[in-house]
């Protein structure tokens, strides 16, 4: 009888700990979501930003060049 009560108490402790950690994790994720909800990643950069690539300067490439780049870069 005493070991049964001890097992129920231990099970209740684990359940309460699991539920508390789950609630803490849920509200942590909700806080992060609210924090970064209005974060605009695709805005124009400020300051002296330099454009890395340009879409206007495409050179003509044939099938073999593209295949070579595919195998070279692993894309």
């Amino acid at each position: 009888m005493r070991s049964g009560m001890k097992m129920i108490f231990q099970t209740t402790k684990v359940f309460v700990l699991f539920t508390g950690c789950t609630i803490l994790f849920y509200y942590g994720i909700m806080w992060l979501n609210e924090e970064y909800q209005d974060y605009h990643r695709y805005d124009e950069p400020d300051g002296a930003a330099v454009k890395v690539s340009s879409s206007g300067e495409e050179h003509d490439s044939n099938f073999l060049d593209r295949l070579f780049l595919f195998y070279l870069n692993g894309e």
Side-chain angles (χ1 to χ4, degrees):
M1 180 70 171
R2 190 157 173 95
S3 71
M5 291 297 285
K6 188 175 181 180
M7 185 178 68
I8 291 172
F9 179 68
Q10 293 291 334
T11 304
T12 305
K13 281 192 334 186
V14 168
F15 177 74
V16 168
L17 181 65
F18 176 75
T19 305
C21 288
T22 302
I23 291 170
L24 182 68
F25 180 74
Y26 174 76
Y27 283 110
I29 293 294
M30 294 300 290
W31 175 75
L32 282 174
N33 184 36
E34 286 182 22
E35 189 72 27
Y36 289 106
Q37 189 170 10
D38 295 328
Y39 181 69
H40 300 288
R41 295 187 301 180
Y42 303 112
D43 288 346
E44 291 284 331
D46 296 333
V50 177
K51 190 169 188 172
V52 177
S53 65
S54 63
S55 61
E57 295 183 36
E58 296 275 337
H59 66 280
D60 292 331
S61 61
N62 60 11
F63 177 73
L64 291 177
D65 290 338
R66 298 287 295 171
L67 185 64
F68 178 71
L69 284 174
F70 176 78
Y71 287 129
L72 182 67
N73 294 331
E75 295 178 354

